[in-house]
């Protein structure tokens, strides 16, 4: 990785919360331009819940965190500005249990809560926001996507005199280990998950040779550090289990959905289930693989059996409902999710799946009503959720609401000016009542004020 000049000690001049929020949004905008994020709703919901459970156990549980997954087989995880924490699919597939995956997330959460990212940050008024955000994204993602691109971006920033040092120091890393292990324990995970995963990385590093995992480029790993983490974790008693079905199911879901050869995957899992007929994990993978290779009825039959044996498994419910919907059996899908929605009141994942399937079946008003309730009850308003709301509102003939939702989606992407244009478009509707008009005008004013401040930063 290219060495960037240090820009000075900013531990006494950390950026303001407003600037941090803006930098985080710009960072994520740059990330989305460079890589593909996992769009699978069930995997994203799992990652969000796992990350939030850990964040709630940190020493700053009120901080806002956003967890996301990059579709990349290389092994990487990173904490960006504004509490944005990403992991690569390759890292989740490498983890041997949920505590190892949680250990990585806890380590990244610790980097955020301990403000490591900003200790090399100069006063905000001396930096160009888009350039700094692009720099951080390039350095965190560069080697995982295109090493030469990462170096080129860093060189361009040097030429532009925008200086940033992303590599964490050894003291930063040890502090993140210490704080992360405490988070793991408090959240109910095995604290040995972190040092165990470090040992896994060490083995992988020996196989990689010169091209080390990107995670090790930004998180220097030493034998001394592993030993310290092991010693610290060994002092904490853990009485739970790492063999958690939900992690194993999500891991195998990711593996099957990531396969570029569905037919080969189906043959493999059909053979594995024949050898291990009692394995729920393998039978779930078998059903997914069969569905992806167009063995639709076989996949549906297998998923029905899984759900019959585990009626409280929400993942089995959403998977089967989507099988039904994607094969045109909308009434079956709606029946299953309507029942699930009644049983698991307030479950964001089920409600979102239900709304999507209602929209696909043409029941737009019902879908919109569900989304309104979800948005009112849930603080986690993601880009995907706003996209779904915009699509549903448009299909329901509520174009002004579609513009509002699109504006919020753009805002979360860091595209404040595009969001402003969407709100202006919403205000042109002749169907607005006075309350809605006032709400849009207020939001428009907020974004205009923020946009002016953003471009001064």
């Amino acid at each position: 990785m290219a060495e960037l000049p240090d820009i000075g000690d900013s531990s006494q001049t950390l950026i303001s919360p407003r600037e941090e929020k803006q930098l985080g949004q710009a960072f994520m905008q740059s990330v989305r331009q460079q890589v593909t994020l996992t769009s699978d709703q069930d995997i994203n919901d799992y990652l969000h819940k796992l990350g939030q459970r850990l964040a709630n156990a940190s020493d700053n549980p009120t901080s806002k965190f956003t967890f996301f997954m990059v579709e990349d087989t290389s092994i990487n995880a990173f904490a960006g500005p504004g509490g944005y924490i990403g992991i690569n699919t390759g890292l989740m597939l490498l983890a041997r249990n949920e505590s190892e995956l949680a250990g990585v997330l806890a380590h990244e959460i610790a980097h955020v809560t301990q403000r490591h990212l900003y200790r090399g940050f100069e006063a905000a008024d001396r930096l160009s926001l888009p350039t700094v955000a692009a720099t951080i994204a390039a350095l965190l993602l560069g080697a995982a996507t295109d090493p030469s691109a990462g170096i080129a971006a860093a060189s361009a920033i040097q030429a532009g005199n925008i200086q940033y040092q992303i590599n964490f120091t050894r003291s930063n890393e040890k502090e993140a280990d210490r704080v992360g292990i405490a988070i793991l324990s408090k959240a109910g995970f095995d604290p040995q998950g972190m040092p165990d995963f470090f040992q896994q990385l060490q083995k992988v590093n020996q196989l990689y040779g010169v091209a080390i995992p990107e995670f090790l480029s930004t998180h220097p790993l030493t034998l001394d550090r592993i030993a310290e983490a092991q010693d610290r974790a060994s002092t904490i008693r853990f009485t739970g289990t790492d063999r958690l079905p939900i992690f194993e199911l999500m891991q195998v879901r990711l593996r099957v959905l990531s396969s570029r050869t569905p037919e080969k995957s189906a043959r493999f899992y059909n053979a594995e289930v024949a050898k291990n007929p009692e394995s729920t994990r393998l039978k779930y993978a078998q059903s997914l693989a069969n569905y992806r290779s167009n063995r639709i009825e076989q996949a549906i039959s297998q998923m029905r059996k899984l759900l019959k044996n585990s009626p409280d498994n929400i993942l089995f419910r959403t998977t089967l409902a989507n099988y039904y919907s994607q094969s045109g059996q909308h009434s079956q899908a709606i029946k299953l999710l309507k029942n699930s929605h009644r049983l698991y009141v307030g479950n964001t994942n089920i409600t979102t799946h239900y709304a999507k399937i209602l929209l696909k079946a043409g029941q737009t008003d019902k879908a919109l009503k569900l989304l309104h309730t979800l948005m009112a009850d849930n603080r986690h308003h993601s880009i995907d959720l706003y996209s779904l709301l915009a699509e549903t509102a448009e299909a329901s003939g509520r174009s002004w609401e579609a513009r509002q939702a699109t504006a919020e989606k753009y805002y979360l992407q860091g595209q404040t000016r595009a969001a402003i244009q969407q709100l202006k478009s919403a205000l042109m509707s002749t169907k607005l009542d006075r309350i809605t008009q006032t709400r849009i005008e207020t939001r428009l004013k907020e974004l205009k004020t923020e946009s002016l401040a953003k471009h001064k930063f």
Side-chain angles (χ1 to χ4, degrees):
M1 179 174 290
E3 288 288 336
L4 291 181
D6 186 75
I7 61 173
D9 180 11
S10 67
S11 59
Q12 304 302 316
T13 57
L14 299 180
I15 64 175
S16 70
R18 175 183 61 80
E19 292 165 341
E20 182 177 357
K21 180 180 179 181
Q22 292 170 354
L23 182 58
Q25 290 175 335
F27 165 76
M28 278 309 298
Q29 185 177 7
S30 186
V31 167
R32 290 187 183 95
Q33 291 170 352
Q34 295 186 52
V35 296
T36 300
L37 303 188
T38 299
S39 59
D40 185 82
Q41 185 184 315
D42 291 297
I43 292 173
N44 286 335
D45 182 71
Y46 167 74
L47 184 62
H48 167 72
K49 287 177 179 175
L50 175 61
Q52 203 56 56
R53 175 178 165 185
L54 291 161
N56 290 341
S58 74
D59 56 5
N60 194 0
T62 60
S63 292
K64 179 176 172 56
F65 287 90
T66 301
F67 301 91
F68 61 95
M69 185 174 289
V70 177
E71 290 188 358
D72 196 302
T73 56
S74 61
I75 301 163
N76 196 17
F78 49 89
Y84 289 94
I85 294 178
I87 67 168
N88 283 12
T89 54
L91 189 143
M92 182 169 173
L93 293 176
L94 180 67
R96 292 167 296 184
N97 53 60
E98 191 168 46
S99 287
E100 288 192 355
L101 176 60
V104 174
L105 291 176
H107 181 92
E108 300 303 335
I109 289 170
H111 276 311
V112 174
T113 60
Q114 303 310 301
R115 309 288 285 170
H116 290 159
L117 194 61
Y118 304 114
R119 292 186 182 179
F121 226 76
E122 212 169 42
D125 59 3
R126 295 181 60 186
L127 302 172
S128 163
L129 175 65
T131 308
V132 172
T135 308
I136 299 172
L139 291 174
L140 289 173
L141 297 170
T145 53
D146 180 358
S148 62
I151 294 170
S155 299
I157 288 151
Q158 282 181 290
N161 201 32
I162 303 298
Q163 304 169 344
Y164 189 83
Q165 175 64 52
I166 196 70
N167 285 0
F168 294 124
T169 66
R170 288 187 179 184
S171 61
N172 288 159
E173 286 303 307
K174 288 186 177 181
E175 184 175 37
D177 293 344
R178 175 179 58 79
V179 173
I181 286 172
I183 291 172
L184 268 182
S185 177
K186 188 176 178 182
F189 294 99
D190 185 356
Q192 285 288 348
M194 187 183 295
D196 284 352
F197 189 78
F198 289 163
Q199 288 186 314
Q200 272 285 85
L201 280 177
Q202 208 172 37
K203 292 177 183 177
V204 171
N205 187 27
Q206 293 171 351
L207 296 175
Y208 267 64
V210 177
I212 64 173
E214 176 63 10
F215 184 82
L216 298 184
S217 296
T218 53
H219 300 71
L221 188 60
T222 64
L223 291 174
D224 175 61
R225 185 179 151 210
I226 294 175
E228 282 193 28
Q230 287 175 326
D231 288 344
R232 185 173 297 277
S234 67
T235 65
I236 305 172
R237 186 182 179 191
F238 176 67
T239 58
T241 177
D242 281 322
R243 303 293 297 178
L244 299 179
I246 187 61
F247 168 77
E248 294 186 347
L249 292 174
M250 286 299 175
Q251 190 180 53
V252 80
R253 178 181 178 84
L254 180 60
R255 196 179 300 280
V256 172
L257 297 183
S258 300
S259 173
R260 296 182 180 180
T261 54
E263 185 62 36
K264 183 178 179 180
S265 181
R267 289 198 301 270
F268 172 79
Y269 284 109
N270 283 329
E272 287 298 299
V273 169
K275 292 184 290 186
N276 304 276
E278 301 304 315
S279 172
T280 299
R281 175 182 66 87
L282 290 175
K283 286 191 283 189
Y284 180 65
Q286 176 191 38
S287 177
L288 286 174
N290 281 331
Y291 189 84
R292 289 196 72 215
S293 60
N294 291 317
R295 298 177 173 89
I296 309 299
E297 290 306 316
Q298 188 176 349
I300 288 176
S301 175
Q302 289 163 346
M303 193 56 63
R304 279 175 173 164
K305 290 177 183 177
L306 285 169
L307 182 56
K308 183 179 180 180
N309 291 332
S310 304
D312 291 330
N313 192 305
I314 290 175
L315 180 61
F316 292 168
R317 287 174 174 268
T318 59
T319 302
L320 180 57
N322 279 291
Y323 283 177
Y324 284 142
S325 177
Q326 291 168 23
S327 60
Q329 302 177 57
H330 297 305
S331 60
Q332 288 286 81
I334 290 172
K335 180 181 178 181
L336 175 56
L337 285 182
K338 183 178 181 180
N339 174 263
S340 301
H341 184 253
R342 186 175 66 251
L343 288 174
Y344 304 96
V345 178
N347 185 286
T348 301
N349 195 30
I350 285 178
T351 305
T352 307
H353 275 292
Y354 190 18
K356 283 182 179 179
I357 286 173
L358 285 171
L359 175 61
K360 193 170 183 178
Q363 298 185 32
T364 55
D365 289 343
K366 287 184 178 180
L368 192 60
K369 185 177 179 180
L370 271 180
L371 290 174
H372 285 164
T373 302
L374 181 61
M375 300 295 274
D377 294 343
N378 195 305
R379 293 182 300 170
H380 182 65
H381 297 165
S382 65
I383 289 172
D384 289 342
L385 197 54
Y386 277 121
S387 294
L388 178 59
L389 178 60
E391 183 182 358
T392 307
E394 193 71 60
S396 298
R398 296 168 64 89
S399 60
W400 71 93
E401 186 176 355
R403 302 290 85 74
Q404 279 183 282
T406 302
E408 297 304 331
K409 180 186 78 170
Y410 284 153
Y411 176 72
L412 288 179
Q413 291 175 330
Q415 299 173 276
T416 307
R417 287 179 173 174
I420 288 171
Q421 292 304 314
Q422 288 293 317
L423 291 178
K424 287 180 178 179
S425 178
L427 285 172
M428 294 175 66
S429 173
T430 58
K431 298 181 180 180
L432 294 178
D433 57 53
R434 185 57 191 165
I435 294 175
T436 303
Q437 181 178 342
T438 301
R439 186 180 297 120
I440 296 174
E441 288 173 343
T442 300
R443 184 61 172 148
L444 179 59
K445 185 177 179 180
E446 290 174 352
L447 294 193
K448 282 182 174 180
T449 301
E450 184 170 311
S451 182
L452 286 172
K454 177 179 179 180
H455 288 89
K456 289 179 181 178
F457 176 35

